[in-house]
Amino acid sequence: MPELPYLKLAAKQEIAGLGGQDLAFTPDEIQAYLAGNHQLTVTLEEAQRLAAESEGWITGILLGTHTLWKGLLRSISEAKGTEAQVFAYLAQEVFAQQPEATRRFLKATSILDVMRPAFCDALLEIASSAELLESLEQANLFVSRLSGEEKVYRYHALFQEFLLQQLEADGAQAKRDLHTRAARLEEQSENAEQALEHYLLAGSEADSVRLLEWLMEAAYQAGRLVTLGQWLERLGAEAVCRHALLLVMSGRLCRQKGAFDEALAFYAQARQLCLDAGDRGGEATVSIREALVHRYRGALDQARQICEDVLAHYPEIGGDLKTQAQAHRILGEVHHIAGQLPEAKRAFRRSLRLFEQAGNLYEAAALLQALGTTARRMGNPLEAEGHYTRALKILQQLGNRWRVAEIQNNIGVGHYYQGEYELALQILERALAGAREVGHHHTETAVLASLGDVHVDLANDRQAQQLYQESLEGARAARDFVLEVYVLCALASLYRVDQAWDQAHALLDEAAALPIPDGPGYLRGLLAFHRGIVLLDQGEATRARAELESAERSLQAAGAKRELARTYLWQANARYRSGDSPAAFDLLGRAIDLCLEIVHPYLFVADGKRMLPLLDEARQYDQRHREWLGQLLTRIHQVNVTPLHQPEAEVARQVRPPRVEVRTLGAGSVSVNGSPIAHTAWGGPLVKELFFYLVDHGSVRRESILGTFWPEYSTAKAKSVFHATVYRMRRVLPEGLIGYNGPEETYVVERAADTWYDVAAFDDLVKRARKQDARRAELLEEAIAIYRGPYLSDVYSDWAAGRREQLHQAYVETLVMLARIRVDSGDPGAGIGLYRKALVEEPYREDLHRELMKALAGAGRLAEAIQQHQALVDLLRRELNTGPTEETEQLFRSIQSRPGTSS
């Protein structure tokens, strides 16, 4: 072959290079090549697995001529989906053929995800790692070099797993020593997270705790909550419970998820450790964390009392600026929720100064965000924008993506207030994507509500309703009662537009039942406002005016100018409808003045499109606001109005109805034609729960349903909520699935041939197994396979708990029936396994322990039978302070007396 000037040709782009990806075979090509060249027939699925598991090495396997590759090829193709034969072949043909020094190197470096020659030299105290890695790569021995100037390598995933198994054979201590040495080296190189990883794998609690306490605050502030939770979980609950700082961080993570009871439990343990150590400063810090949980769960008085007590009676925190700042921040939030905006602003400013003095940028950004929200509610949009912009810069600098999404939500709402709808939607969609990308559901929930508000103004009521429903579900999961009240009111307003009065009032009743602070305040005012406008559109003018006047008092006390302006507008509408035009125009003028004060020109667009006669007549009467009213009318007419529920076009009748699959053994799920119905599509967990109730109970009278789900409600209110729930259920399910018998007032899920229900299938299989002998074992096996877990493990209602226990007992008995069949048919091993499975479900059932002892003894496994008896003795003594029955003891003595048992 002639010499070619490769570099010159490449520089002129007259020659191209081929890498592994260029030579990679597709699954179809693999099938064809194996059939034609190696007489091997593999399915497309096996060819896809071969390509995927080989990570590109398939090219070398297929094109190579060495017997090693051809043997490996046949081994992989014959493995049929398991790695066992691949590993066996690697051990025989690859690993075993290497020199001893190479084998030692391969095993020791298998603990590393990436291999740098210098690091490997230091880890193994050798000087030949570079040469070894290069030779392994050149020999295609499952080592690949990563792209980049530095020589960095990694093992093929399957090969690394194989090497780790070989290392395990040398003993656990050898592996721990390697991880410890690797951790020390990473620490020396200031790679703290990599060091922590190795300390955790080495089981070094002291070093793991030391590094975790150093790393965790930065990880928290960067929004890496999942990673932080994984570190704590891997460290182990026992280790965490010995360290106050780790307990506090565990509580903070629980609070972020809305698991308030779990958070308080962690904080209680941390506070006790501080008390035992005489650390009053630490005790005060933990108390403030508890106050924050109480603030989020709505116990505002308790949160305020804790903060005031700590600030007044713990001089030990005099030098702890962060704890002082956190206390003032919580007090500010309590004032904010109560509608005491000036007091909230003062507390937030005091907290901001303290956090800035402490150099805590993360918390400073949170205070700037709080100040921005307060300024916006007080009618100062420019001040709010300034606070949000400062907070955004800090959070982008810190790299905290979910907090960035929160600020983007605030900024997007600001553009919405100015009528910049397209820009608002763009920013809010980015915020939503950011929150979902990092899995921060609470931020996602808030953004969904903001998007719903924008779509209401754009008259996209259907889309707004869907967004609000998703937001409501998230608010409930996060236990954010403030956002829940807001979204319930927004949804009630949509039902008002559709003249669905019962549904609107039911939603407002739900909001009123939440822990809203007593006395005038923002939430009380918001609820009264929405109740008033529903009543007004319903035709109950007197009650409507009373509610709107109550809203006015609460919102004035709260300083909530935006909502107060809307209240004046609707009061004007009420007066105009009653024929009192002068009073209406006066109230409308006050609404416009307030709207001008807070610089919110588009505030009345959504409401105003239903008050056109009032606005048009006022424009003729009110000379001072004529121009502004003309601009408002222009904005309103630019929006296309679409009703919430448009008549659906008649759908062509389907030849074949959709297949509905209902699974309740485990977490509940419903699929239609193979596609699961998303959790958020139901419009709330109660809708989904009611469907499962109907599926399981067959035909049910409405009276029984109301007594099961809403026993505390009046009959009228329960019916209203029930009909709203059924309405949402029918929207998400195939047409005709929910049946209703008018004369009987019964509801039923029409379970035809196209509907499969796992509980019904389980019950049917067990029932058939009891009647048949020939296929009994086969039927029981099918039933056991269907039982994937406790019935509706994510539903905690009484009706579900009773059904759960009933099915649980049926499952245990099914296991026992099949175990007896297996033992009696000469397969004691299978029977023993089934008895053990039953004991996992019912560990205190002494009869099952006896059955297992008999099966073990019958199989000649006398020592295990005696061990099982001892396990039962220990369990009963430890948990119930008792011993086995005489029947069990007689069986034990009988087994113990058999030949072959040691005394």
Side-chain angles (χ1 to χ4, degrees), residues 107-402:
K107 287 193 296 183
T109 54
S110 66
I111 69 165
L112 305 174
D113 290 331
V114 294
M115 295 170 287
R116 293 176 173 80
F119 190 91
C120 294
D121 282 344
L123 178 66
L124 305 180
E125 298 179 338
I126 60 177
S128 56
S129 297
E131 293 80 6
L132 274 168
L133 287 166
E134 191 169 348
S135 65
L136 290 170
E137 182 197 15
Q138 291 176 354
N140 274 338
L141 290 182
F142 302 100
V143 176
S144 59
R145 180 177 170 183
L146 304 181
S147 59
E149 294 183 4
E150 183 185 6
K151 289 188 176 182
V152 180
Y153 302 84
R154 74 172 181 90
Y155 287 120
H156 182 290
L158 291 178
F159 190 55
Q160 184 179 20
E161 187 174 344
F162 163 74
L163 292 175
L164 285 169
Q165 290 182 0
Q166 303 306 304
L167 180 60
E168 292 282 358
D170 292 345
Q173 189 59 47
K175 188 176 180 180
R176 284 196 295 267
D177 290 344
L178 280 168
H179 277 299
T180 301
R181 288 206 301 273
R184 301 274 188 251
L185 290 170
E186 294 287 13
E187 264 200 284
Q188 291 170 15
S189 302
E190 298 184 352
N191 297 324
E193 290 194 19
Q194 292 88 330
L196 174 60
E197 179 71 20
H198 285 295
Y199 281 135
L200 288 169
L201 290 169
S204 176
E205 179 180 325
D207 287 313
S208 296
V209 169
R210 173 176 55 82
L211 271 188
L212 185 49
E213 289 183 342
W214 186 72
L215 283 167
M216 61 187 185
E217 187 60 37
Y220 184 90
Q221 293 186 11
R224 300 172 59 201
L225 307 185
V226 175
T227 298
L228 192 47
Q230 290 171 346
W231 285 340
L232 290 166
E233 183 179 356
R234 291 175 61 193
L235 182 62
E238 290 186 9
V240 169
C241 288
R242 288 191 283 270
H243 302 275
L245 289 178
L246 300 185
L247 286 166
V248 169
M249 182 53 72
S250 299
R252 292 169 73 183
L253 293 178
C254 287
R255 182 188 65 77
Q256 284 286 354
K257 294 185 292 186
F260 298 143
D261 291 337
E262 292 89 335
L264 289 173
F266 279 120
Y267 290 149
Q269 293 180 68
R271 184 154 35 80
Q272 188 60 51
L273 290 180
C274 293
L275 282 169
D276 294 343
D279 181 5
R280 277 179 56 81
E283 181 188 348
T285 299
V286 175
S287 295
I288 293 300
R289 292 290 176 194
E290 290 174 318
L292 188 59
V293 174
H294 291 307
R295 168 260 180 269
Y296 275 105
R297 73 190 312 176
L300 301 183
D301 288 340
Q302 194 171 354
R304 177 184 52 76
Q305 190 171 4
I306 291 173
C307 292
E308 290 176 348
D309 180 66
V310 167
L311 290 171
H313 301 114
Y314 281 80
E316 291 83 359
I317 67 168
D320 186 352
L321 298 177
K322 293 180 183 178
T323 299
Q324 293 181 58
Q326 191 67 265
H328 287 296
R329 175 187 174 181
I330 295 169
L331 288 172
E333 291 176 345
V334 170
H335 288 308
H336 192 276
I337 293 170
Q340 301 157 349
L341 299 185
E343 293 86 347
K345 187 173 182 178
R346 283 195 293 272
F348 286 147
R349 285 193 177 279
R350 190 175 297 120
S351 179
L352 176 60
R353 284 196 299 271
L354 288 166
F355 275 127
E356 287 176 338
Q357 290 173 28
N360 193 323
L361 292 177
Y362 172 81
E363 296 292 356
L367 265 300
L368 287 166
Q369 183 179 1
L371 282 166
T373 303
T374 305
R376 177 174 285 163
R377 281 187 53 191
M378 294 178 74
N380 301 315
L382 296 179
E383 180 186 343
E385 184 179 353
H387 290 314
Y388 290 143
T389 301
R390 284 182 61 195
L392 182 61
K393 288 180 180 178
I394 292 172
L395 293 168
Q396 287 174 334
Q397 176 185 338
L398 293 173
N400 188 311
R401 291 187 292 168
W402 71 263

Side-chain angles (χ1 to χ4, degrees), residues 523-817:
L523 293 179
R524 290 278 174 201
L526 187 68
L527 188 56
F529 167 74
H530 281 279
R531 183 81 73 183
I533 63 177
V534 170
L535 290 168
L536 183 62
D537 278 0
Q538 198 174 354
E540 299 189 29
T542 302
R543 290 177 61 197
R545 284 199 297 270
E547 290 287 351
L548 289 170
E549 287 168 3
S550 173
E552 178 187 355
R553 291 190 295 272
S554 290
L555 295 169
Q556 275 184 335
K561 296 180 181 179
R562 180 177 181 274
E563 288 74 17
L564 183 58
R566 289 188 69 197
T567 302
Y568 287 146
L569 175 67
W570 276 91
Q571 285 178 315
N573 190 35
R575 292 292 182 181
Y576 185 78
R577 289 185 184 186
S578 66
D580 190 354
S581 295
F585 298 152
D586 180 63
L587 284 163
L588 179 58
R590 292 162 67 184
I592 294 170
D593 288 339
L594 199 50
C595 200
L596 289 166
E597 181 184 338
I598 62 176
V599 196
H600 194 339
Y602 282 76
L603 177 58
F604 298 156
V605 168
D607 294 330
K609 63 191 178 187
R610 296 174 180 87
M611 306 177 188
L612 294 177
L614 164 64
L615 298 177
D616 192 50
E617 188 174 338
R619 188 165 62 96
Q620 309 302 322
Y621 173 84
D622 188 347
Q623 299 298 319
R624 188 163 62 93
H625 297 122
R626 173 177 292 181
E627 183 178 354
W628 193 93
L629 284 165
Q631 293 171 349
L632 173 62
L633 288 166
T634 300
R635 297 183 192 112
I636 291 172
H637 288 301
Q638 287 172 345
V639 176
N640 292 320
V641 179
T642 57
L644 178 61
H645 303 302
Q646 293 176 334
E648 296 286 349
E650 186 171 347
V651 180
R653 184 176 182 83
Q654 295 177 321
V655 176
R656 184 174 179 273
R659 175 172 172 80
V660 179
E661 183 174 298
V662 184
R663 291 191 178 274
T664 56
L665 294 173
S669 67
V670 182
S671 299
V672 178
N673 289 329
S675 299
I677 297 176
H679 187 58
T680 53
W682 290 91
L686 193 62
V687 182
K688 190 176 180 182
E689 182 182 336
L690 178 57
F691 173 71
F692 289 135
Y693 176 88
L694 292 174
V695 169
D696 196 64
H697 284 71
S699 180
V700 191
R701 288 180 58 82
R702 183 175 62 185
E703 180 182 359
S704 298
I705 298 171
L706 300 184
T708 299
F709 283 83
W710 300 281
E712 72 281 10
Y713 284 8
S714 67
T715 302
K717 181 178 177 182
K719 286 181 179 179
S720 173
V721 177
F722 168 70
H723 288 304
T725 306
V726 171
Y727 171 78
R728 295 174 189 169
M729 186 195 308
R730 282 177 167 152
R731 287 188 63 188
V732 78
L733 294 169
E735 184 178 356
L737 188 63
I738 306 298
Y740 174 65
N741 184 323
E744 298 292 333
E745 289 194 337
T746 57
Y747 289 79
V748 65
V749 174
E750 303 288 357
R751 281 168 35 197
D754 56 300
T755 302
W756 184 86
Y757 177 36
D758 59 354
V759 169
F762 175 86
D763 286 340
D764 179 65
L765 287 164
V766 174
K767 192 179 298 182
R768 288 163 57 195
R770 294 182 187 278
K771 296 179 180 178
Q772 294 186 26
D773 288 328
R775 295 186 60 235
R776 178 173 295 171
E778 180 184 343
L779 293 169
L780 291 173
E781 283 181 340
E782 288 183 40
I784 290 168
I786 288 175
Y787 194 98
R788 297 183 176 184
Y791 177 78
L792 289 179
S793 57
D794 51 351
V795 174
Y796 305 102
S797 302
D798 290 343
W799 74 267
R803 188 68 165 122
R804 187 180 301 125
E805 179 59 24
Q806 179 188 5
L807 287 164
H808 172 78
Q809 293 301 327
Y811 172 61
V812 172
E813 292 307 317
T814 304
L815 290 170
V816 173
M817 279 194 290

